[in-house]
């Protein structure tokens, strides 16, 4: 077990505030700051500036957001923030807000940039860009563009279509960039952020996060008390780590419930029953609910409706499991443990001012009449942080390093109605893709590779000198660090060819395999 990190110092003089303007990335920014060994907290943009300053921040970071600075009702910021002497770093929307508030110019001139973009640094020795190359890739997501910096600012970077992509004012310690330095696809983004923290704000990197495991164990024990909890174990890393964490906190008060809903991939039920129980010693109750889920999903093609049905049926199965567990001697089963992560919360509209991109079965998909209190020890963490917690808990690599798999299972990887026949077809195709990726040694090189069945689409093909009219299968290999952004993985052609050949040869009623090469944004990782 890794040694626990040192306790956090008095944060009253060492806190960096991340002001959330409705960005999907606010939590990611805060985490990047913590990775730089500087303590951070997120505050909403609606917090009065006086309250922000009352926290005695060493620096303030303004996040991005979905609004235009000129839109009616768009988030704004009191100019006093920039006159308080506290170093400020604006990103994307925060950059534009800083520019307009201080007298610069931001235009809706059609200079839209989304995804990977080339940045040209004109002042390579500046506070932000010292030691980084003059040409570097960054991740953009904006419509408006800054055409003139405020008085007293030096323009330090641009792109082919945006004349002011970064500016700096060392005297007032105010800095900004149009792009998202916090995401992994901005190659030198962490270095630029650390330059702001260390060079611009003069903060010493002397803080490390407190032990997440110990902190959560204390919170779980306080929340659950002497009652019992059940955990929905899906077989994925999120639910497994959440269950292991709660098991460590309350021991025999936890019963894990694995719902075999018929939407899992090949071999996953057996893996859950063997590997997880062996690693944790947790009590496991397996519920065969395939018919129940397929009956509920019959005739349903709308993806949001499918997610909500799956979420509803999960809860109903847990309630039935609760009745059965209550027959045992012991205290009340009052809590439901879930492996909810921060990206789930954000995409379901749970962030400050964020839009609902899609409902996750464990967030926006839960029914209103749920009878359990939720225990969500991973709610503020990202996938890579969850893996580290799992390692600290001693879970095996087969669980900790497992590629992400959605809670609703293959039900949302079928575009169209979910049936037993379609699930079996998709399971076979998915198994082939996973086998070939493992054989090629690519498991750790990609974030995940969803395999999607376009069940409502058929295409003409030729097999055995005869005409076929089969379904297409979509491969969606993506690289990501935390699922907030993603890029399609450049897999070797040889591997793709093997996957395609095997699927079209071995999976009945499939005559075409296609590759999804869309980044996130604009696409999501899952199709539904």
């Amino acid at each position: 077990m890794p040694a626990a990190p040192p306790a956090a110092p008095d944060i009253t003089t060492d806190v960096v505030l991340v002001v959330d303007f409705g960005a999907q990335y606010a939590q990611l920014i805060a985490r990047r700051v913590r990775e730089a060994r500087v303590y951070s907290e997120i505050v909403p943009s609606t917090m009065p500036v006086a309250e922000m300053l009352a926290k005695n921040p060493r620096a303030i970071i303004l996040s991005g957001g979905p609004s235009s600075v000129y839109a009616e009702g768009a988030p704004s910021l009191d100019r006093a923030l920039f006159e308080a002497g506290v170093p400020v770093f604006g990103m994307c929307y925060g950059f534009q807000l800083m520019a307009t508030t201080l007298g610069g110019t931001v235009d809706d001139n059609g200079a839209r940039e989304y995804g990977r973009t080339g940045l040209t640094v004109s002042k390579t020795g500046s506070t932000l860009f010292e030691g980084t190359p003059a040409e570097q890739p960054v991740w953009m997501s904006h419509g408006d563009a800054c055409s003139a910096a405020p008085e007293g600012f030096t323009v330090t970077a641009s792109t082919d279509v945006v004349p002011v992509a970064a500016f700096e004012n060392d005297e007032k310690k105010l800095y900004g960039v149009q792009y998202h330095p916090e995401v992994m696809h901005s190659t030198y983004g962490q270095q630029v952020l650390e330059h702001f923290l260390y060079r611009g704000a003069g903060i010493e990197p002397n803080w490390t996060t407190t032990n997440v495991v110990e902190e959560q164990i204390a919170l779980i024990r306080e929340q659950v008390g002497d009652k019992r909890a059940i955990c929905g174990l899906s077989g994925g890393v999120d639910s497994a780590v959440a269950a292991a964490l709660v098991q460590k906190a309350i021991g025999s008060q936890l019963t894990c419930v694995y719902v075999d809903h018929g939407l899992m991939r090949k071999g996953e039920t057996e893996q859950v029953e063997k590997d997880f129980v062996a690693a944790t010693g947790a009590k496991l109750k397996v519920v065969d609910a395939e018919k129940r889920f397929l009956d509920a999903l019959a005739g349903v093609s709308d993806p949001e409706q499918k997610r909500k049905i799956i979420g509803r049926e999960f809860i109903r199965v847990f309630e039935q499991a609760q009745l059965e567990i209550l027959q045992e001697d012991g205290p009340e089963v009052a809590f439901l443990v879930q492996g909810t992560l921060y990206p789930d919360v954000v995409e379901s509209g749970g962030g400050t001012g964020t839009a609902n991109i899609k409902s996750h079965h464990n967030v926006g998909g839960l029914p209103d009449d749920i009878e359990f209190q939720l225990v969500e020890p991973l709610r503020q963490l990202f996938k890579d942080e969850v893996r580290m917690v799992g390692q600290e808990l001693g879970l095996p690599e087969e669980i900790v390093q497992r590629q992400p798999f959605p809670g609703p299972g293959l039900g949302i990887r079928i575009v169209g109605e979910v049936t037993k026949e379609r699930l079996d077809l998709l399971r076979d195709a998915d198994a082939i893709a996973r086998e070939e990726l493992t054989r090629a040694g690519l498991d750790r090189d990609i974030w995940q590779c969803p395999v999607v069945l376009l069940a409502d689409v058929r295409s003409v093909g030729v097999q055995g000198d005869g005409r076929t009219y089969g379904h297409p299968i979509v491969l969606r290999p993506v690289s990501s660090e935390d699922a907030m952004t993603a890029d399609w993985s450049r897999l070797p052609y040889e591997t793709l060819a093997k996957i395609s050949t095997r699927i079209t040869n071995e999976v009945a009623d499939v005559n075409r395999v296609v590759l999804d090469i869309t980044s996130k944004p604009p696409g999501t990782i899952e199709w539904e």
Side-chain angles (χ1 to χ4, degrees):
M1 299 266 297
D10 179 0
I11 63 173
T12 56
T13 58
D14 292 296
V15 64
V16 171
L17 298 183
V18 177
V19 182
D20 183 4
F21 288 98
Q24 289 194 54
Y25 308 126
Q27 181 76 6
L28 180 55
I29 297 170
R31 200 190 78 195
R32 295 297 189 221
V33 175
R34 295 197 295 268
E35 288 175 359
R37 300 182 65 202
V38 176
Y39 183 76
S40 62
E41 293 180 0
I42 298 175
V43 297
S45 62
T46 53
M47 176 181 284
V49 167
E51 289 186 25
M52 295 182 193
L53 297 178
K55 290 178 173 286
N56 298 315
R58 288 291 305 274
I60 294 174
I61 297 175
L62 310 179
S63 83
S67 302
S68 164
V69 290
Y70 295 121
E72 184 177 353
S76 60
L77 202 59
D78 191 330
R79 184 187 178 99
L81 179 71
F82 303 111
E83 298 172 343
V86 178
V88 181
F89 187 22
M91 301 176 179
C92 196
Y93 181 83
F95 165 75
Q96 295 178 358
L97 191 59
M98 181 187 295
T100 56
T101 302
L102 297 177
T105 304
V106 174
D107 308 299
D108 181 6
N109 60 1
R112 291 167 173 77
E113 293 175 311
Y114 297 98
R116 194 183 299 273
T117 304
L119 183 78
T120 299
V121 178
S122 54
K123 301 288 184 181
T124 54
S126 73
T127 296
L128 293 182
F129 295 106
E130 171 73 29
T132 69
E135 303 290 334
Q136 53 187 272
V138 298
W139 196 262
M140 291 283 194
S141 183
H142 69 94
D144 299 342
C146 184
S147 58
E151 184 178 353
F153 283 74
T154 300
V155 177
T156 53
S158 61
T159 72
D160 289 343
V161 296
V162 176
V164 183
F167 54 46
E168 306 180 31
N169 186 326
D170 285 320
E171 180 182 354
K172 295 185 176 180
K173 298 188 180 300
L174 303 178
Y175 306 87
V177 296
Q178 176 59 74
Y179 60 94
H180 288 277
E182 72 275 20
V183 303
M184 64 177 293
H185 300 298
S186 293
T187 306
Y188 297 91
Q190 183 68 13
Q191 190 171 341
V192 168
L193 174 60
E194 291 178 2
H195 281 171
F196 165 70
L197 296 170
Y198 306 156
R199 293 156 57 87
I203 303 173
E204 292 291 329
N206 56 13
W207 183 87
T208 54
T209 56
T210 56
N211 191 309
V212 173
V213 172
E214 292 180 358
E215 178 181 298
Q216 286 300 321
I217 285 174
L219 291 172
I220 292 164
R221 286 173 176 166
E222 179 181 358
Q223 181 183 8
V224 176
D226 61 356
K227 294 182 172 62
R228 286 189 288 175
I230 58 175
C231 177
L233 199 62
S234 70
V237 62
D238 305 338
S239 64
V241 172
L245 193 51
V246 176
Q247 165 73 14
K248 192 173 182 67
I250 63 174
S252 62
Q253 292 170 244
L254 174 70
T255 299
C256 294
V257 178
Y258 174 75
V259 178
D260 186 359
H261 50 25
L263 306 175
M264 300 301 284
R265 297 182 293 191
K266 274 190 174 181
E268 290 186 313
T269 298
E270 294 77 11
Q271 182 189 46
V272 170
E273 292 185 273
K274 177 174 63 74
D275 293 344
F276 179 77
V277 174
T280 65
K283 292 188 293 184
L284 178 64
K285 180 180 181 65
V286 178
V287 181
D288 182 358
E290 179 181 34
K291 185 177 186 304
R292 176 178 184 146
F293 276 80
L294 292 184
D295 286 349
L297 290 167
V300 178
S301 295
D302 179 75
E304 275 294 282
Q305 192 177 356
K306 284 196 285 188
R307 286 176 179 271
K308 290 183 182 297
I309 288 171
I310 293 169
R312 181 194 70 208
E313 294 304 314
F314 259 106
I315 296 301
R316 297 303 171 239
V317 171
F318 285 131
E319 288 173 343
Q320 180 59 42
Q322 179 194 33
L323 292 176
E324 296 174 5
I325 295 169
L326 278 173
Q327 295 175 0
E328 308 169 5
D329 292 334
E332 176 189 1
V333 179
F335 296 91
L336 170 61
V337 179
Q338 293 199 138
T340 306
L341 303 192
Y342 186 69
D344 301 337
V345 177
V346 172
E347 290 196 339
S348 297
T352 305
T354 54
N356 186 346
I357 297 173
K358 59 186 177 184
S359 294
H360 287 260
H361 77 287
N362 53 351
V363 186
L366 292 174
D368 295 333
D369 59 347
I370 180 174
E371 296 181 359
F372 299 108
Q373 296 181 56
L374 297 181
V375 178
E376 298 178 309
L378 311 178
R379 189 179 178 90
Q380 296 301 317
L381 300 182
F382 289 81
K383 183 73 72 173
D384 58 327
E385 294 175 314
V386 172
R387 294 191 198 281
M388 289 188 284
V389 170
Q391 289 171 338
E392 187 166 338
L393 290 167
L395 289 175
E397 288 289 295
E398 291 79 9
I399 292 178
V400 173
Q401 295 302 331
R402 187 169 181 240
Q403 290 186 3
F405 186 62
L410 298 178
I412 59 167
R413 291 184 177 176
I414 294 176
V415 179
E417 182 184 3
V418 178
T419 67
K420 178 70 162 61
E421 294 71 26
R422 290 174 172 182
L423 285 164
D424 288 341
L425 185 157
L426 181 54
R427 264 189 280 267
D428 288 342
D430 176 85
I432 289 170
R434 287 189 290 146
E435 286 171 12
E436 292 300 330
L437 289 172
T438 299
R439 185 173 289 122
L442 296 171
D443 287 341
R444 296 289 185 91
D445 294 341
I446 62 172
W447 172 261
Q448 61 174 302
C449 184
V451 178
V452 180
L453 170 64
L454 302 185
D456 289 344
V457 176
R458 285 185 178 271
S459 63
V460 175
V462 178
Q463 291 173 302
D465 296 326
R467 178 184 186 275
T468 62
Y469 197 49
H471 296 292
I473 284 286
V474 180
L475 303 180
R476 174 71 164 135
V478 292
S479 61
S480 182
E481 186 176 336
D482 44 49
M484 300 302 295
T485 63
D487 199 7
W488 64 281
S489 301
R490 277 64 168 175
L491 297 181
Y493 290 151
E494 181 181 355
T495 302
L496 291 171
K498 287 181 180 179
I499 294 173
S500 176
T501 299
R502 284 195 59 193
I503 289 176
T504 53
N505 284 347
E506 299 174 28
V507 182
D509 213 22
V510 173
N511 63 1
R512 192 179 298 270
V513 175
V514 299
L515 180 66
D516 184 345
I517 59 171
T518 312
S519 65
K520 175 187 179 181
T524 56
I525 292 178
E526 299 292 344
W527 273 49
E528 292 208 340

